[in-house]
Amino acid sequence: FFFSSRRRHTRYWRDWSSDVCSSDLVALLNIIKRSGATEPFSREKVLVGVRKACQGRPVNEDDLVLLAQRVEETLRSTGQAEIEAQEVGLAILAPLRELDEVAYLRYASVYRNFSSLEDFEGEIALLRALPSNAAPEIEKVRTPENTNQKTGK
């Protein structure tokens, strides 16, 4: 009895596991690195990069996981099986900006290779000129009194 029951269970498990295999559910998405090598898309790699940018910021892990999921969904929605690594970086920028503008600026400074104060100033000017989805509510509560910041000048 035990043997036949075990065999039925094993057969059931094999059938069930092949039905829910993740490679069957999600099409493979490869990233083409600058070197020309390809590797499978890794949501974890997105999280590692974004965590660095968000270090010390009031951003929780759940928000980062959702951001990585949005990035993957954006990339998969292109329908392409292979995507340039640069496109991954671009797909991260918009949701990161919505999440935290300081983290966005940190990420953008590395991603876009900022090399001078002018690079930062230009990006900050763009942030101010083109507010993200959350910015209109933030702008409503800003007044000249609460936006003054101390500077080293």
Side-chain angles (χ1 to χ4, degrees):
F1 175 75
F2 176 76
F3 180 72
S4 64
S5 174
R6 182 175 168 89
R7 187 166 52 194
R8 270 186 298 209
H9 175 74
T10 303
R11 188 178 312 138
Y12 169 77
W13 176 254
R14 186 175 47 238
D15 293 342
W16 179 82
S17 65
S18 66
D19 287 344
V20 295
C21 180
S22 64
S23 65
D24 291 339
L25 296 175
V26 179
L28 191 59
L29 178 63
N30 284 316
I31 305 304
I32 305 168
K33 299 172 77 171
R34 279 184 249 169
S35 68
T38 62
E39 64 181 38
F41 173 81
S42 169
R43 203 182 281 187
E44 186 58 33
K45 285 184 95 170
V46 171
L47 282 169
V48 167
V50 173
R51 274 188 198 115
K52 288 178 186 175
C54 292
Q55 217 167 15
R57 300 295 304 153
V59 176
N60 67 49
E61 185 66 17
D62 290 342
D63 289 335
L64 297 179
V65 169
L66 287 173
L67 182 144
Q69 181 180 342
R70 280 182 63 190
V71 169
E72 182 174 3
E73 289 169 358
T74 298
L75 296 172
R76 288 190 184 283
S77 72
T78 67
Q80 298 175 346
E82 293 187 333
I83 294 183
E84 300 280 340
Q86 181 181 2
E87 296 299 316
V88 178
L90 288 173
I92 290 170
L93 287 172
L96 183 56
R97 181 179 177 193
E98 290 173 20
L99 186 63
D100 188 284
E101 287 186 333
V102 171
Y104 163 87
L105 193 59
R106 289 175 176 172
Y107 186 87
S109 72
V110 173
Y111 177 72
R112 295 186 176 145
N113 296 319
F114 288 5
S115 60
S116 67
L117 284 176
E118 288 77 22
D119 293 338
F120 282 94
E121 289 169 345
E123 193 67 30
I124 290 169
L126 284 173
L127 284 170
R128 289 182 173 146
L130 304 167
S132 67
N133 293 343
E137 280 73 40
I138 294 169
E139 292 302 320
K140 288 177 190 173
V141 297
R142 283 187 180 161
T143 64
E145 295 80 24
N146 69 14
T147 56
N148 288 338
Q149 298 178 354
K150 292 181 182 177
T151 64
K153 295 180 182 178

